[in-house]
Amino acid sequence: MRTRVRGWRWRRNPLRRRSDVVEAWTVLVVAVLMFVVAPLAGVAAGLYAHDQARALAAAQRAERHQVRAVVVGDAPRRLTASQSDHRQPYRAQVRWTEPGKGVRTAWAQVPAGTRLGEPVSVWFDSRGRSVAPPADDVAVWQHAVTVGLFAAGGTAFVVFLGHAVERRIALRHRLAEWEREWARTGPRWTQPRA
Protein backbone atom coordinates (compact mmCIF):
# COMPACT_ATOMS: atom_id res chain seq x y z
CA MET A 1 0.00 0.00 0.00
CA ARG A 2 1.31 3.40 -0.98
CA THR A 3 1.07 6.33 1.39
CA ARG A 4 1.24 9.91 0.15
CA VAL A 5 2.47 12.62 2.45
CA ARG A 6 1.21 15.96 1.23
CA GLY A 7 3.50 18.95 1.43
CA TRP A 8 6.64 16.94 2.18
CA ARG A 9 8.69 19.25 0.01
CA TRP A 10 7.75 22.19 2.21
CA ARG A 11 8.55 20.49 5.54
CA ARG A 12 12.00 19.88 6.93
CA ASN A 13 13.05 16.26 6.71
CA PRO A 14 16.30 14.40 6.05
CA LEU A 15 15.19 13.15 2.62
CA ARG A 16 14.33 16.59 1.24
CA ARG A 17 16.91 18.03 -1.16
CA ARG A 18 17.39 21.56 -2.40
CA SER A 19 16.03 20.53 -5.81
CA ASP A 20 12.81 19.38 -4.06
CA VAL A 21 12.34 22.85 -2.57
CA VAL A 22 13.02 24.49 -5.94
CA GLU A 23 10.51 22.17 -7.59
CA ALA A 24 7.88 22.93 -4.95
CA TRP A 25 8.27 26.68 -5.52
CA THR A 26 8.22 26.13 -9.27
CA VAL A 27 4.92 24.25 -9.07
CA LEU A 28 3.44 27.16 -7.13
CA VAL A 29 4.71 29.70 -9.69
CA VAL A 30 3.46 27.58 -12.60
CA ALA A 31 0.01 27.31 -11.00
CA VAL A 32 -0.19 31.09 -10.63
CA LEU A 33 1.00 31.60 -14.21
CA MET A 34 -1.45 29.06 -15.63
CA PHE A 35 -4.54 30.11 -13.67
CA VAL A 36 -3.97 33.85 -13.31
CA VAL A 37 -1.47 35.21 -15.84
CA ALA A 38 -2.53 33.15 -18.88
CA PRO A 39 -6.21 34.18 -18.63
CA LEU A 40 -5.21 37.80 -18.02
CA ALA A 41 -2.95 37.70 -21.09
CA GLY A 42 -5.86 36.30 -23.10
CA VAL A 43 -8.22 39.01 -21.88
CA ALA A 44 -5.68 41.77 -22.57
CA ALA A 45 -4.94 40.46 -26.06
CA GLY A 46 -8.66 40.04 -26.77
CA LEU A 47 -9.47 43.59 -25.68
CA TYR A 48 -6.61 44.98 -27.75
CA ALA A 49 -7.74 42.96 -30.77
CA HIS A 50 -11.32 44.15 -30.23
CA ASP A 51 -10.25 47.79 -30.25
CA GLN A 52 -8.15 47.27 -33.38
CA ALA A 53 -10.89 45.36 -35.20
CA ARG A 54 -13.53 47.92 -34.23
CA ALA A 55 -11.33 50.75 -35.55
CA LEU A 56 -10.74 48.82 -38.78
CA ALA A 57 -14.47 48.16 -39.19
CA ALA A 58 -15.21 51.87 -38.66
CA ALA A 59 -12.60 52.78 -41.29
CA GLN A 60 -14.12 50.25 -43.69
CA ARG A 61 -17.61 51.64 -43.11
CA ALA A 62 -16.32 55.15 -43.81
CA GLU A 63 -14.53 54.11 -47.00
CA ARG A 64 -17.03 51.62 -48.45
CA HIS A 65 -20.54 52.24 -49.65
CA GLN A 66 -23.39 49.93 -50.49
CA VAL A 67 -25.42 50.26 -53.66
CA ARG A 68 -28.52 48.52 -54.85
CA ALA A 69 -27.74 47.18 -58.31
CA VAL A 70 -29.23 44.90 -60.93
CA VAL A 71 -27.33 41.92 -62.33
CA VAL A 72 -26.84 42.56 -66.07
CA GLY A 73 -24.07 40.08 -66.82
CA ASP A 74 -24.69 36.38 -66.62
CA ALA A 75 -22.77 34.10 -64.30
CA PRO A 76 -19.65 32.54 -65.77
CA ARG A 77 -20.47 29.61 -68.03
CA ARG A 78 -17.83 27.31 -66.55
CA LEU A 79 -17.85 27.14 -62.81
CA THR A 80 -14.92 25.75 -60.91
CA ALA A 81 -15.48 23.04 -58.32
CA SER A 82 -15.50 25.57 -55.46
CA GLN A 83 -17.88 27.91 -57.32
CA SER A 84 -20.30 25.14 -58.16
CA ASP A 85 -21.18 24.99 -54.49
CA HIS A 86 -24.49 26.85 -54.23
CA ARG A 87 -23.37 28.86 -51.22
CA GLN A 88 -20.30 30.41 -52.89
CA PRO A 89 -20.70 33.95 -54.25
CA TYR A 90 -19.45 34.65 -57.76
CA ARG A 91 -18.53 37.67 -59.86
CA ALA A 92 -21.13 39.09 -62.21
CA GLN A 93 -21.63 42.37 -64.01
CA VAL A 94 -24.01 44.74 -62.22
CA ARG A 95 -25.55 48.11 -63.12
CA TRP A 96 -26.87 50.86 -60.88
CA THR A 97 -27.75 54.53 -61.07
CA GLU A 98 -25.64 56.88 -59.01
CA PRO A 99 -27.08 60.34 -58.29
CA GLY A 100 -25.18 63.01 -60.21
CA LYS A 101 -23.04 60.45 -62.10
CA GLY A 102 -25.62 58.54 -64.07
CA VAL A 103 -25.69 54.84 -64.84
CA ARG A 104 -22.64 52.83 -63.83
CA THR A 105 -21.59 49.26 -64.58
CA ALA A 106 -19.00 47.13 -62.78
CA TRP A 107 -18.08 43.58 -61.89
CA ALA A 108 -19.01 42.67 -58.31
CA GLN A 109 -19.44 39.71 -56.00
CA VAL A 110 -23.06 38.59 -55.98
CA PRO A 111 -24.71 35.92 -53.86
CA ALA A 112 -24.89 32.41 -55.22
CA GLY A 113 -28.01 31.64 -57.18
CA THR A 114 -28.53 35.24 -58.35
CA ARG A 115 -30.06 35.36 -61.82
CA LEU A 116 -29.91 37.90 -64.60
CA GLY A 117 -32.09 40.94 -63.84
CA GLU A 118 -32.30 40.34 -60.08
CA PRO A 119 -31.55 43.23 -57.72
CA VAL A 120 -28.59 42.74 -55.35
CA SER A 121 -26.77 44.77 -52.72
CA VAL A 122 -23.08 45.19 -53.49
CA TRP A 123 -20.26 47.07 -51.77
CA PHE A 124 -17.67 49.30 -53.45
CA ASP A 125 -14.65 51.15 -52.09
CA SER A 126 -13.77 54.77 -52.87
CA ARG A 127 -12.01 53.71 -56.09
CA GLY A 128 -15.05 51.87 -57.37
CA ARG A 129 -13.70 48.35 -56.81
CA SER A 130 -16.00 45.64 -55.58
CA VAL A 131 -15.19 44.75 -51.97
CA ALA A 132 -16.62 42.68 -49.16
CA PRO A 133 -19.02 44.39 -46.76
CA PRO A 134 -17.40 45.96 -43.69
CA ALA A 135 -17.08 43.79 -40.61
CA ASP A 136 -20.10 43.85 -38.33
CA ASP A 137 -20.10 43.66 -34.52
CA VAL A 138 -20.36 39.87 -34.54
CA ALA A 139 -17.23 39.55 -36.71
CA VAL A 140 -15.36 42.01 -34.47
CA TRP A 141 -16.25 40.01 -31.35
CA GLN A 142 -15.40 36.70 -33.03
CA HIS A 143 -11.99 38.09 -33.94
CA ALA A 144 -11.41 39.40 -30.40
CA VAL A 145 -12.43 36.11 -28.75
CA THR A 146 -10.27 34.10 -31.15
CA VAL A 147 -7.22 36.27 -30.49
CA GLY A 148 -7.86 36.12 -26.73
CA LEU A 149 -8.17 32.34 -26.72
CA PHE A 150 -5.02 31.90 -28.78
CA ALA A 151 -3.10 34.33 -26.56
CA ALA A 152 -4.21 32.52 -23.38
CA GLY A 153 -3.47 29.13 -24.94
CA GLY A 154 -0.08 30.30 -26.20
CA THR A 155 0.82 31.69 -22.79
CA ALA A 156 -0.25 28.45 -21.10
CA PHE A 157 1.77 26.44 -23.64
CA VAL A 158 4.90 28.52 -23.01
CA VAL A 159 4.45 28.13 -19.23
CA PHE A 160 3.92 24.38 -19.62
CA LEU A 161 7.00 24.09 -21.86
CA GLY A 162 9.08 26.10 -19.40
CA HIS A 163 7.88 23.89 -16.56
CA ALA A 164 8.84 20.75 -18.51
CA VAL A 165 12.34 22.14 -19.10
CA GLU A 166 12.63 23.11 -15.44
CA ARG A 167 11.58 19.60 -14.36
CA ARG A 168 14.29 18.03 -16.51
CA ILE A 169 16.91 20.36 -15.03
CA ALA A 170 15.60 19.70 -11.51
CA LEU A 171 15.78 15.95 -12.12
CA ARG A 172 19.41 16.23 -13.19
CA HIS A 173 20.22 18.28 -10.09
CA ARG A 174 18.33 15.84 -7.87
CA LEU A 175 20.24 12.88 -9.30
CA ALA A 176 23.53 14.75 -8.81
CA GLU A 177 22.61 15.51 -5.19
CA TRP A 178 21.70 11.88 -4.57
CA GLU A 179 24.98 10.78 -6.17
CA ARG A 180 26.97 13.09 -3.85
CA GLU A 181 25.04 11.83 -0.83
CA TRP A 182 25.61 8.23 -1.83
CA ALA A 183 29.33 8.93 -2.28
CA ARG A 184 29.40 10.04 1.36
CA THR A 185 27.06 7.37 2.74
CA GLY A 186 27.71 4.41 0.44
CA PRO A 187 31.12 3.35 1.77
CA ARG A 188 29.66 2.90 5.26
CA TRP A 189 27.06 0.51 3.89
CA THR A 190 29.22 -1.42 1.45
CA GLN A 191 32.35 -2.02 3.56
CA PRO A 192 32.61 -5.51 4.99
CA ARG A 193 32.04 -5.69 8.71
CA ALA A 194 34.55 -7.36 10.92
Side-chain angles (χ1 to χ4, degrees):
M1 186 169 176
R2 192 171 171 190
T3 304
R4 289 190 71 104
V5 178
R6 298 197 186 279
W8 68 271
R9 288 184 172 118
W10 297 99
R11 296 188 207 135
R12 293 197 181 280
N13 67 60
L15 299 177
R16 185 183 74 170
R17 303 286 177 250
R18 196 176 108 190
S19 60
D20 296 326
V21 174
V22 169
E23 190 172 1
W25 280 103
T26 304
V27 167
L28 182 65
V29 169
V30 165
V32 168
L33 290 174
M34 290 287 267
F35 296 112
V36 176
V37 175
L40 286 177
V43 167
L47 290 175
Y48 179 77
H50 181 266
D51 290 344
Q52 295 297 316
R54 195 172 57 183
L56 179 64
Q60 287 176 346
R61 279 192 295 276
E63 180 191 74
R64 299 173 183 184
H65 63 280
Q66 182 181 21
V67 297
R68 195 77 179 144
V70 175
V71 177
V72 294
D74 205 1
R77 295 284 177 227
R78 287 187 162 170
L79 296 176
T80 62
S82 65
Q83 289 173 324
S84 64
D85 183 8
H86 297 291
R87 298 173 302 224
Q88 292 290 327
Y90 62 92
R91 291 181 63 78
Q93 198 170 19
V94 296
R95 181 177 294 143
W96 72 98
T97 304
E98 203 167 300
K101 295 185 181 178
V103 176
R104 300 200 50 195
T105 304
W107 287 90
Q109 292 279 347
V110 297
T114 305
R115 301 202 191 293
L116 190 64
E118 283 188 38
V120 292
S121 295
V122 291
W123 288 85
F124 292 98
D125 64 5
S126 58
R127 296 181 188 169
R129 295 178 299 188
S130 174
V131 292
D136 59 355
D137 286 340
V138 172
V140 168
W141 276 107
Q142 285 175 340
H143 174 71
V145 168
T146 302
V147 168
L149 288 174
F150 274 97
T155 303
F157 177 74
V158 168
V159 168
F160 180 74
L161 190 63
H163 181 61
V165 169
E166 184 278 330
R167 285 194 61 167
R168 287 189 65 110
I169 293 170
L171 179 63
R172 265 193 258 139
H173 283 284
R174 183 179 300 116
L175 292 175
E177 286 177 5
W178 285 348
E179 189 69 33
R180 284 191 299 272
E181 286 291 324
W182 182 251
R184 275 188 263 148
T185 309
R188 287 187 290 184
W189 288 55
T190 56
Q191 287 181 356
R193 297 188 183 207

